[in-house]
């Protein structure tokens, strides 16, 4: 579960990004398929591999697939009044999960093999997700320990505003309004296309197809920073942040006299 919140033994939270490496695609695919067949207790000793570098990886890393994938989505170009900004390829197995987050992109998501499971929260539920600035970290190889990865914190990097409340663990790291959240759950099957609006919180997991993995392609379109949507999002966030402040208003004064505690006398 890279790109996720990891709680340390001392209770400190880290936002941990994945270890990235390159390897022949055939070896990667064989690993992903084989990994799906192991017993649960064996899986825990194996790293999770996921082709998910994003940032327009389909035309650059997987260009041989381009003849089989539309370069853009016609209705999205018309509705959003712009061509796509990035086109991404995703391949992994059922062990790959992306923690709850939001993107400032309009997203058209196409499932090709297997299933994708989305847990969705609209931007108005910012008060429910207990968003906090969290220290960045990354998985790195543990020297001398084979394929083992360890977490390395980046203390110098700017903290990442990150949702720390997970709708699938509703009693962990709750905010004052988490109980009011009403998550939407959507499953995409092979051949389904899904529009995910910008700034919606989404957690994503997947189920394998018969081939032992799941594949998807998505198209990102820049969101509009004009009009009321962006301003409204900013306003809601400011309201939530102000609500977190513990303000000491001092003693209540009425009629020119201090209100004493306990006895009710003046």
């Amino acid at each position: 579960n890279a790109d996720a919140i990891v709680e340390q033994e001392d209770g400190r939270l880290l936002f941990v990004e994945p270890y990235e490496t390159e390897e022949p695609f055939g070896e990667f695919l064989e690993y992903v398929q084989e990994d799906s067949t192991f017993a649960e207790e064996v899986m825990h000793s194996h790293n999770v591999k996921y082709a998910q570098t994003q940032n327009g990886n389909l035309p650059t890393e997987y260009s041989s697939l381009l003849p089989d994938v539309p370069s853009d989505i016609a209705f999205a170009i018309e509705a959003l009044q712009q061509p796509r900004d990035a086109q991404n390829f995703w391949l992994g197995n059922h062990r790959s999960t992306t923690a709850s987050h939001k993107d400032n992109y309009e997203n058209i998501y196409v499932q090709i093999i297997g299933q994708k499971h989305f847990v969705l929260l609209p931007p108005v539920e910012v008060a429910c997700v207990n968003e906090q600035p969290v220290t960045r970290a990354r998985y790195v190889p543990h020297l001398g320990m084979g394929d083992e990865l360890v977490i390395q914190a980046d203390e110098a990097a700017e903290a990442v505003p990150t949702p720390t409340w997970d709708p699938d663990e509703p009693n962990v790291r709750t905010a004052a309004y988490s109980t009011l959240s009403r998550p939407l759950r959507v499953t995409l099957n092979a051949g389904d296309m899904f529009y995910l609006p910008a700034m919606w919180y989404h957690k994503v997991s997947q189920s394998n197809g018969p081939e032992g993995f799941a594949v998807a392609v998505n198209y990102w379109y820049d969101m509009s920073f004009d009009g009321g949507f962006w301003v409204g999002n900013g306003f809601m966030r400011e309201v939530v942040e102000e609500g977190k402040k513990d303000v000491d208003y001092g003693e209540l004064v009425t009629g020119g006299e201090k209100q004493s505690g306990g006895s009710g006398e003046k």
Side-chain angles (χ1 to χ4, degrees), residues 5-18:
I5 291 288
V6 177
E7 185 169 347
Q8 304 297 283
E9 291 183 359
D10 61 1
R12 183 187 184 202
L13 300 181
L14 299 176
F15 178 75
V16 187
E17 298 177 313

Side-chain angles (χ1 to χ4, degrees), residues 37-184:
T37 65
F38 294 138
E40 197 68 31
E41 59 271 15
V42 177
M43 285 184 185
H44 289 303
S45 64
H46 282 230
N47 292 326
V48 178
K49 292 189 177 183
Y50 194 17
Q52 58 109 36
T53 47
Q54 305 173 53
N55 299 323
N57 68 358
L58 182 58
T60 55
E61 296 182 46
Y62 306 100
S63 57
S64 60
L65 300 176
L66 288 176
D68 299 312
V69 182
S71 61
D72 212 329
I73 305 297
F75 82 83
I77 297 174
E78 183 173 351
L80 300 172
Q81 295 294 295
Q82 60 179 310
R84 55 98 174 155
D85 182 66
Q87 186 182 23
N88 301 307
F89 175 80
W90 310 78
L91 190 154
N93 61 28
H94 67 287
R95 299 181 64 205
S96 302
T97 301
T98 303
S100 185
H101 66 287
K102 63 183 184 296
D103 300 308
N104 57 349
Y105 286 104
E106 310 287 357
N107 191 348
I108 302 294
Y109 206 96
V110 184
Q111 193 64 26
I112 299 171
I113 295 174
Q115 295 178 315
K116 219 76 165 194
H117 312 287
F118 288 82
V119 182
L120 305 168
L121 302 176
V124 72
E125 292 198 10
V126 62
C128 304
V129 301
N130 197 11
E131 195 166 281
Q132 302 178 28
V134 179
T135 300
R136 287 181 181 270
R138 183 175 291 276
Y139 286 106
V140 297
H142 190 176
L143 296 179
M145 298 297 290
D147 293 332
E148 183 179 345
L149 300 176
V150 295
I151 295 173
Q152 183 177 83
D154 186 353
E155 306 291 353
E158 185 177 356
V160 187
T162 306
T164 63
W165 179 72
D166 184 344
D168 292 330
E169 296 182 279
N171 298 319
V172 179
R173 294 192 289 272
T174 57
Y177 300 100
S178 296
T179 56
L180 302 179
S181 176
R182 296 295 181 267
L184 304 175

Side-chain angles (χ1 to χ4, degrees), residues 38 70 92 103 106 108 120 177 182 193 211 214 220 226 232 237 241 248-250 259 264:
F38 294 138
D103 300 308
E106 310 287 357
I108 302 294
L120 305 168
Y177 300 100
R182 296 295 181 267
M193 180 181 289
E211 299 85 350
W220 275 339
D226 300 328
R237 291 174 61 83
E241 289 305 311
D248 182 5
Y249 292 103
Q259 182 75 37

Side-chain angles (χ1 to χ4, degrees), residues 34 87 120 201 217 266:
E34 187 179 54
Q87 186 182 23
L120 305 168
Y201 296 99
V217 170
K266 293 184 180 179

Side-chain angles (χ1 to χ4, degrees), residues 209-225:
E211 299 85 350
F213 54 85
V215 176
V217 170
N218 84 302
Y219 301 77
W220 275 339
Y221 300 79
D222 280 329
M223 68 170 283
S224 172
F225 293 92

